């Protein structure tokens, strides 16, 4: 998979007042911005073209991923170039495209802004404010996509009481432990939470929520243009994914560890 699309244009209201000055995607975890880890995760599955969706006030993200020849020259002159070694190793072989999202109309709209970057190719989508602790699901998702041709979403089990806050899906687990989906709903009412079943058709106790990583075929862009605004008046990615599910089918892969959403304090 050559392309990774990373939405990082959100308002970050849950992280105010800090996000007035610092994009939440640049909050450090283990000494590096969240987004540095996210780009490294995309690179690990072969993505070399990185499209980052930005908005006004988030220029610091572009600065972080841009080469500063004056700084490098100064570090060289002062015997300190080694402090940039991890950054330089990450940047090796990557090209960046900066995509503008003029209005913050939700995740679906941010993805729609990446249509010309995708240019008819499938893309890995990684939310810019979320890292995967304990391993990335992207490798198995790309493998599952190559095998089936279906879009893929990472999922994590959540209690049914929490499921009402998330985008959730239902379907059936196959012999490889992956899921074939048959329903998707954004923030369902508690009596409408979709059911996930095991290989023998037995219902699983937990609900399954979307977990910040996707492999999407280009069909999603047409769906994003066609759907009306959904929950909260935002263009909901879940609604567009449900259209893709109907047209083509959709798979899911459970995350191996824990999702860390840095956008919440
Ligand atoms: P979130 O919904 O967590 O981000 O989106 P947000 O809207 O910034 O959060 P709050 O609710 O205001 O605190 C997940 C990812 O999608 C991006 C965000 O930057 C984040 O990395 N996003 C979200 C966009 O690029 N555009 C949007 O319109 C919304």
């Amino acid at each position: 998979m050559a392309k990774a699309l990373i939405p990082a244009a959100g308002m970050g209201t849950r992280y105010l007042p800090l996000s007035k000055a610092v994009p939440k995607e640049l909050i450090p975890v283990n000494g590096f911005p969240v987004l540095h880890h996210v780009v490294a995760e995309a690179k690990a599955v072969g993505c070399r073209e990185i499209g980052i969706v930005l908005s006004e006030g988030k220029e610091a993200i572009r600065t972080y991923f841009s080469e500063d020849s004056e700084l490098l020259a100064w570090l060289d002159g002062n015997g300190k170039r080694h402090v940039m070694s991890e950054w330089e190793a990450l940047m090796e072989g990557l090209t960046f495209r900066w995509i503008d999202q003029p209005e913050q109309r939700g995740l679906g709209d941010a993805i729609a802004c990446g249509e010309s970057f995708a240019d008819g190719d499938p893309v890995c989508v990684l939310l810019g404010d979320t890292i995967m602790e304990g391993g990335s699901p992207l490798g198995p998702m790309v493998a599952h996509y190559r095998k089936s041709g279906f879009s893929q979403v990472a999922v994590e089990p959540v209690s049914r009481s929490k499921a009402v806050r998330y985008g959730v899906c239902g379907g059936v687990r196959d012999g490889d432990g992956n899921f074939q989906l048959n329903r998707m709903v954004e923030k369902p009412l508690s009596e409408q939470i979709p059911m996930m079943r095991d290989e023998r058709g037995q219902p699983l106790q937990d609900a399954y929520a979307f977990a910040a990583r996707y492999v999407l075929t280009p069909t999603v862009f047409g769906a994003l243009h066609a759907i009306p605004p959904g929950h909260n008046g935002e263009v909901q990615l879940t609604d567009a994914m449900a259209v893709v599910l109907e047209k083509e089918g959709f798979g899911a892969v459970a995350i191996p560890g824990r999702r860390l959403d840095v956008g919440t304090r």
Side-chain angles (χ1 to χ4, degrees), residues 21 23 27 39 62 64 76 79 84-85 96 124 129 134 189 191 194 201 230 244 253:
I27 288 170
V39 170
R62 194 168 172 164
Y64 183 83
D76 276 334
M84 290 295 284
S85 58
F96 284 77
C124 290
D129 63 349
L189 299 172
E191 61 276 17
V244 176
V253 171

Side-chain angles (χ1 to χ4, degrees), residues 124-206:
C124 290
V125 172
L126 302 87
L127 301 195
D129 63 349
T130 303
I131 52 179
M132 293 294 166
E133 199 179 49
S136 168
L138 268 186
M141 289 168 71
V142 170
H144 205 205
Y145 162 74
R146 291 217 171 98
K147 207 165 130 189
S148 64
F150 295 157
S151 294
Q152 303 290 321
V153 59
V155 290
E156 68 173 342
V158 294
S159 67
R160 298 185 78 75
S161 59
K162 282 193 183 154
V164 293
R165 292 194 248 143
Y166 300 114
V168 289
C169 54
V172 183
R173 192 164 61 197
D174 66 23
D176 300 331
N178 301 315
F179 298 95
Q180 205 60 51
L181 302 183
N182 56 24
R183 251 192 96 208
M184 297 177 179
V185 191
E186 186 64 35
K187 299 184 181 60
L189 299 172
S190 56
E191 61 276 17
Q192 290 170 352
I193 297 169
M195 188 71 77
M196 199 68 105
R197 296 176 184 276
D198 69 13
E199 312 60 345
R200 287 163 303 154
Q202 296 301 313
L204 299 172
Q205 197 173 2
D206 283 325

Side-chain angles (χ1 to χ4, degrees), residues 53-102:
V53 186
L54 291 183
S55 53
E56 216 183 296
K58 295 203 136 180
E59 296 79 15
I61 290 176
R62 194 168 172 164
T63 306
Y64 183 83
F65 289 104
S66 302
E67 190 167 307
D68 181 340
S69 47
E70 268 179 42
L71 172 65
L72 293 179
W74 185 89
L75 291 171
D76 276 334
N78 289 275
K80 291 185 174 181
R81 180 77 178 240
H82 61 276
V83 299
M84 290 295 284
S85 58
E86 285 101 336
W87 182 89
E88 288 188 279
L90 175 67
M91 297 298 283
E92 176 91 50
L94 298 183
T95 56
F96 284 77
R97 268 272 291 277
W98 304 103
I99 300 159
D100 182 41
Q101 185 190 20

Side-chain angles (χ1 to χ4, degrees), residues 6-15 24-25 53-54 58 101 103-107 109-110 126-130 234 261 263:
I6 304 178
M11 298 287 287
T13 48
R14 285 169 296 155
Y15 232 118
K24 62 179 173 173
E25 292 82 1
V53 186
L54 291 183
K58 295 203 136 180
Q101 185 190 20
E103 273 178 77
Q104 281 46 76
R105 300 203 299 136
L107 179 59
D109 179 64
L126 302 87
L127 301 195
D129 63 349
T130 303
E234 291 185 349
D261 174 358

